[in-house]
Amino acid sequence: MDIQILAFTVLSIILYAALVALSFKRTSEKSAVYKYLLTASGLSVVLLLPAIYISLFWSAFVCTLLIVIASYVGSQYGNKGALIKSGILGGIWLIIPWYLYLVSNT
């Protein structure tokens, strides 16, 4: 099972790198990608990691809350909102291997 989680972790990192690369390609402001996308990803990871270790219920609750916030921000704030939405969803994507590891070891 650990090999599968490791493979999924590598896949998650590759897909997140592709998300960042495509975000760079779509925007003319490279600093905006760093500012909004990577900051939103880091913030979602920081919020989700403690929730995962508290309980699986709270991790699902915080993940759902982040998806709702990402949808709202993505629809309201134009290009900046799209970068923030992609960042939050990318941060959730990076947390999934930890979540699977905890589920498989519980």
Side-chain angles (χ1 to χ4, degrees), residues 2-103:
D2 291 330
I3 299 285
Q4 293 172 345
I5 292 173
L6 180 64
F8 192 69
T9 302
V10 170
L11 178 66
S12 297
I13 291 171
I14 289 170
L15 289 175
Y16 182 75
L19 172 75
V20 172
L22 288 174
S23 296
F24 271 122
K25 190 176 182 179
R26 283 189 310 208
T27 185
S28 60
E29 298 179 28
K30 305 302 182 208
S31 64
V33 173
Y34 284 118
K35 185 177 179 182
Y36 295 111
L37 181 90
L38 298 177
T39 303
S41 295
L43 184 63
S44 64
V45 167
V46 166
L47 290 174
L48 281 171
L49 276 177
I52 286 174
Y53 287 109
I54 291 172
S55 74
L56 296 178
F57 168 77
W58 284 109
S59 65
F61 178 75
V62 171
C63 186
T64 304
L65 186 64
L66 284 175
I67 290 172
V68 169
I69 290 170
S71 298
Y72 174 75
V73 170
S75 66
Q76 295 294 320
Y77 296 105
N79 189 28
K80 294 176 190 176
L83 285 174
I84 293 170
K85 178 182 174 184
S86 296
I88 291 172
L89 296 177
I92 291 170
W93 183 254
L94 288 174
I95 290 296
I96 290 175
W98 279 303
Y99 185 74
L100 291 176
Y101 177 75
L102 287 174
V103 168

